[in-house]
Amino acid sequence: MAVGERPLLSNRASSEISNDRDLAEEDALLTGQRTSKSTARSWKLWREIGLFVWAVIATAVVIVLAVLYQKHQDSRDHTALPSGKRNLIFMVSDGMGPTSLSLTRSFNQFRNGSPWSEQLVIDQHLIGQSRTRSSSSLITDSAAGATAFSCARKSYNGAISVTPDHEPCGTVLEAAKRAGYMTGLVVTTRITDATPACFASHVNMRSEEDRIAEQMVGDYPLGRVVDLMLGGGRCHFLPNTTEDSCRSDNKDIVAMAKENGYNYISSRSDFDALKSGAAVNLPILGLFAQTDIPYEIDRRNEEDIYPSLDEMALTALSALSKATEKSDKGFFLMIEGSRIDHAGHHNDPAAQVHEVLAYDKAFASVLQFLENDSTEGIMVSTSDHETGGLAAARQLHDSYPEYLWYPGPLANASHSAERLTQEYQKFLSTSPSEDAIVVHVQEAFSSGLGIKDASEDEINNIVKNPNSAQYGFSDAISRRSQTGWSTHGHSAADVNIYSSDPKTAFALVGNHENTEVGDFLRDYLDVDVESVTKELKEKGVDLMVEGVNGTRVGWMGPMPMEGQRLDGQNHLATYGGDFRRRGLRHGEGCGCGM
Ligand SMILES: *[C@@H]1O[C@H](CO)[C@@H](O)[C@H](O)[C@H]1NC(C)=O
Ligand SMILES: *[C@@H]1O[C@H](CO)[C@@H](O)[C@H](O)[C@H]1NC(C)=O
Ligand SMILES: *[C@@H]1O[C@H](CO)[C@@H](O)[C@H](O)[C@H]1NC(C)=O
Ligand SMILES: *[C@@H]1O[C@H](CO)[C@@H](O)[C@H](O)[C@H]1NC(C)=O
Ligand SMILES: [Zn+2]
């Protein structure tokens, strides 16, 4: 029972406390008021003696505890981190705050008919919390968030492993590669998106994904540093002369990757040929979607097209483990549940719970890998920030709300709002009649979301205003489940930290700054990140590359415009505006301003 709910002074008559003095003491504890004077002098004397003895004992205990704690700290510093061969798996649940887990846990229990004691796997490995602010805002974006992990430095929103004064900062992955570790990145978004980009590239603005693609395959001062990349974002690697490209120039980054030694794969059959990692030849670049890999809620119905996060994670673990079998160094692998964040941006609770479950599955696989593998290893998992200002509650009417949240409407949805919107826009491009449009939208509600009682308003809004379709579909589920959202962007909430081994990850137990997560990664691997920073600065000093309109700019690309750096809302605009594929209107806009 919380203190505030204590029936403070009630039931006194029936209380076991019988004497007046004890009652007065209790009042003092509960109300903070002084007790009334005791009348007995001898009682006062004994009380003072008692207090004195108590003070002496308490002081002694504090001193002993302090000494023991110091001893513990010393021994931890010297012995807890392994000294031999080791593997580090760093997992990022982009945009997943604590409420995403409440939502997903309840959803899972509802769907499985399991008891309320059932937890997710990840729930059982909670060790701490991370504070997420960036150098430019209390609300970070994924770029500054990942820079805190990769460089252990705070930087501005939009920074891809560059400092606020636009110097490159060496990353844990780059330093691991230099030290002889094998390295990998596994994501469900574009491999050029902010989180993976921060481990193996350096640009002043996260929107420079074309440049990021070049750097990630080795066209930058350090050469090739990533041995394995699996994810989406093919369009940034293809020249603008091809149909699937979203590059603004005609550079062929796949060809560049091959020149640098990469085996390039891009299809489900290519992926299956890797035999869950047994047949991987490193280095490998696997790009399985033109942009992002579809949400899990959609992907699972299209398993013959896209690999899941878990499949990619298992493949990477097995390949990197095999490749380091005979090495005295292990590997560093970053695995990101990238689109938990997107479901938050889209305010789509049904898409989100399936993204979190997919992450939980990969999380369980990593735990199992660590258990099986004879090499020492650890997994640390955290989020860069919360997205959506998600609440497992929503007040729908003026009257005082009932305390209810319903997982049912999430369980009935079989499509994301994003996918329904893509299908809707494709349908609209065939110039259908207004009646046909109404029927299409009704059908989307009923068979896509399991909503049979869509109101006239809900349907009309989407018919009359196709740009708001995605928000309309998400909102229908959110209202019926009474899920609340406070933003289409990020929030400043603290996020959780998890680990397979809380003893070794003791430095992350409790509440920490996100840069301390970055500190732990480099400390665990025992790598020299500062010398990488030095190398980047020295080799990059005169390195110019092509900017816009035939100008030359430094190798980290153009600077953000004045003021832009402080704009905490850039994330949504940036990733929404990313899809520059010619001639294709994509259904990304949330329509939330309309
Ligand atoms: C493709 O890229 C080249 C430069 O590499 C540019 O001159 C051309 O305008 C681009 N074409 C399109 C259609 O964007
Ligand atoms: C761990 O070992 C078990 C038993 O050999 C095997 O079934 C499982 O696939 C392994 N899992 C991983 C992630 O290596
Ligand atoms: C989910 O679908 C089932 C079967 O169509 C239906 O009986 C139930 O009412 C639906 N639940 C919600 C919350 O819409
Ligand atoms: C590049 O040139 C075009 C056409 O001259 C101009 O509209 C655009 O503003 C220029 N872009 C930059 C960033 O200078
Ligand atoms: Zn993010």
Side-chain angles (χ1 to χ4, degrees):
M1 183 194 278
V3 171
E5 291 172 4
R6 228 171 235 256
L8 277 183
L9 301 172
S10 63
N11 293 335
R12 178 160 293 169
S14 63
S15 156
E16 283 160 37
I17 302 169
S18 54
N19 105 21
D20 277 356
R21 185 181 48 75
D22 286 352
L23 273 178
E25 294 284 319
E26 194 199 26
D27 279 1
L29 283 173
L30 292 174
T31 64
Q33 309 259 308
R34 284 170 158 275
T35 58
S36 50
K37 281 171 278 143
S38 169
T39 45
R41 279 186 93 84
S42 65
W43 156 246
K44 202 173 173 197
L45 176 70
W46 282 111
R47 186 163 158 271
E48 272 168 16
I49 292 171
L51 277 175
F52 176 74
V53 172
W54 163 238
V56 170
I57 293 172
T59 308
V61 167
V62 167
I63 291 170
V64 168
L65 282 180
V67 168
L68 286 177
Y69 180 71
Q70 191 57 45
K71 276 235 159 89
H72 173 74
Q73 292 277 312
D74 289 351
S75 69
R76 188 170 56 81
D77 286 349
H78 297 138
T79 63
L81 298 180
S83 53
K85 179 178 174 179
R86 75 208 82 154
N87 299 325
L88 171 57
I89 299 128
F90 180 49
M91 296 187 72
V92 180
S93 43
D94 198 311
M96 183 177 82
T99 311
S100 300
L101 293 155
S102 314
L103 220 66
T104 306
R105 195 184 308 118
S106 299
F107 168 79
N108 211 37
Q109 291 167 2
F110 171 86
R111 199 183 52 165
N112 299 344
S114 47
W116 60 45
S117 56
E118 185 190 78
Q119 294 178 297
L120 303 173
V121 176
I122 194 171
D123 285 328
Q124 299 157 47
H125 298 274
L126 178 70
I127 65 164
Q129 273 190 320
S130 164
R131 308 191 293 273
T132 65
R133 70 157 299 166
S134 70
S135 72
S136 65
S137 174
L138 283 169
I139 300 182
T140 187
D141 79 328
S142 291
T147 298
F149 303 145
S150 63
C151 292
R153 295 283 300 263
K154 292 279 187 190
S155 196
Y156 58 92
N157 287 1
I160 301 291
S161 288
V162 297
T163 58
D165 52 359
H166 301 288
E167 295 286 355
C169 51
T171 77
V172 60
L173 184 145
E174 291 165 336
K177 183 67 189 172
R178 281 284 181 271
Y181 289 89
M182 299 292 263
T183 61
L185 300 170
V186 169
V187 302
T188 50
T189 181
R190 309 174 305 285
I191 197 82
T192 50
D193 198 17
T195 308
C198 278
F199 287 88
S201 69
H202 305 267
V203 298
N204 291 308
M205 296 194 297
R206 61 178 290 170
S207 55
E208 295 269 301
E209 291 188 49
D210 290 354
R211 198 178 308 282
I212 289 168
E214 296 160 23
Q215 293 191 14
M216 288 181 93
V217 301
D219 189 25
Y220 86 130
L222 301 185
R224 175 164 59 75
V225 296
V226 200
D227 296 304
L228 174 146
M229 286 184 262
L230 302 177
R234 203 160 56 216
C235 74
H236 289 288
F237 292 75
L238 302 172
N240 70 1
T241 48
T242 62
E243 180 63 27
D244 274 358
S245 173
C246 56
R247 285 190 72 83
S248 60
D249 62 28
N250 57 12
K251 284 190 197 165
D252 184 346
I253 310 306
V254 167
M256 190 186 274
K258 287 178 178 167
E259 270 164 41
N260 287 345
Y262 282 100
N263 295 297
Y264 172 70
I265 60 171
S266 61
S267 69
R268 178 79 215 198
S269 55
D270 289 347
F271 180 78
D272 290 343
L274 302 179
K275 300 199 188 316
S276 306
V280 172
N281 285 319
L282 299 178
I284 188 166
L285 173 66
L287 304 175
F288 305 109
Q290 194 205 357
T291 57
D292 299 323
I293 291 176
Y295 281 127
E296 180 61 23
I297 192 174
D298 303 316
R299 189 210 66 84
R300 63 191 175 148
N301 303 317
E302 306 158 359
E303 280 181 7
D304 51 336
I305 308 181
Y306 307 99
S308 69
L309 179 64
D310 186 52
E311 288 176 294
M312 293 192 288
L314 282 168
T315 299
L317 289 166
S318 150
L320 291 170
S321 169
K322 200 157 72 72
T324 52
E325 213 166 27
K326 301 203 167 65
S327 165
D328 62 347
K329 287 284 195 292
F331 62 81
F332 170 76
L333 172 62
M334 195 283 292
I335 300 170
E336 185 191 35
S338 318
R339 302 204 67 206
I340 301 169
D341 172 65
H342 293 187
H345 283 295
H346 293 159
N347 290 6
D348 184 341
Q352 177 152 103
V353 292
H354 289 283
E355 288 306 293
V356 174
L357 286 174
Y359 187 76
D360 199 50
K361 189 169 183 199
F363 188 100
S365 291
V366 170
L367 288 177
Q368 210 186 40
F369 168 83
L370 288 167
E371 234 164 72
N372 284 359
D373 200 59
S374 57
T375 303
E376 191 147 4
I378 196 170
M379 177 259 283
V380 169
S381 164
T382 192
S383 307
D384 46 359
H385 54 77
E386 197 271 351
T387 303
L390 172 62
R394 180 161 181 151
Q395 179 160 1
L396 295 171
H397 309 287
D398 285 347
S399 56
Y400 195 76
E402 292 180 273
Y403 296 159
L404 293 167
W405 180 75
Y406 298 117
L410 275 57
N412 276 10
S414 56
H415 292 67
S416 68
E418 175 185 75
R419 176 54 50 90
L420 291 174
T421 304
Q422 287 162 349
E423 287 173 0
Y424 180 44
Q425 292 189 335
K426 211 192 262 171
F427 176 72
L428 288 179
S429 71
T430 65
S431 311
S433 71
E434 169 123 4
D435 285 351
I437 296 176
V438 171
V439 171
H440 179 99
V441 172
Q442 277 169 337
E443 181 63 18
F445 271 115
S446 119
S447 70
L449 301 179
I451 293 177
K452 316 282 186 204
D453 65 346
S455 72
E456 220 163 277
D457 273 355
E458 284 176 320
I459 292 169
N460 277 343
N461 278 342
I462 292 175
V463 170
K464 300 238 153 64
N465 193 353
N467 285 334
S468 72
Q470 183 156 299
Y471 183 46
F473 288 131
S474 289
D475 194 52
I477 294 203
S478 294
R479 285 179 181 278
R480 282 165 179 75
S481 57
Q482 298 192 193
T483 304
W485 302 94
S486 56
T487 174
H488 277 90
H490 298 174
S491 80
D494 288 357
V495 292
N496 291 342
I497 305 176
Y498 305 87
S499 179
S500 59
D501 178 357
K503 250 191 193 148
T504 306
F506 184 80
L508 297 177
V509 170
N511 183 268
H512 295 276
E513 207 57 61
N514 56 3
T515 47
E516 293 174 69
V517 175
D519 287 332
F520 177 79
L521 300 179
R522 57 178 64 180
D523 288 351
Y524 181 82
L525 292 177
D526 192 22
V527 291
D528 183 2
V529 182
E530 298 319 320
S531 74
V532 173
T533 300
K534 203 161 152 258
E535 186 180 347
L536 283 166
K537 284 182 184 168
E538 282 168 9
K539 293 190 176 163
V541 67
D542 290 323
L543 191 57
M544 303 295 277
V545 294
E546 209 169 313
V548 281
N549 295 350
T551 58
R552 305 286 287 169
V553 293
W555 69 278
M556 295 186 296
M559 307 280 184
M561 303 221 275
E562 206 50 50
Q564 202 177 334
R565 258 177 44 171
L566 297 172
D567 182 359
Q569 303 306 314
N570 261 346
H571 187 134
L572 184 59
T574 304
Y575 95 82
D578 176 69
F579 299 82
R580 285 178 290 166
R581 189 180 174 200
R582 285 163 298 128
L584 186 84
R585 246 186 83 92
H586 66 86
E588 202 55 43
C590 71
C592 34
M594 312 181 84

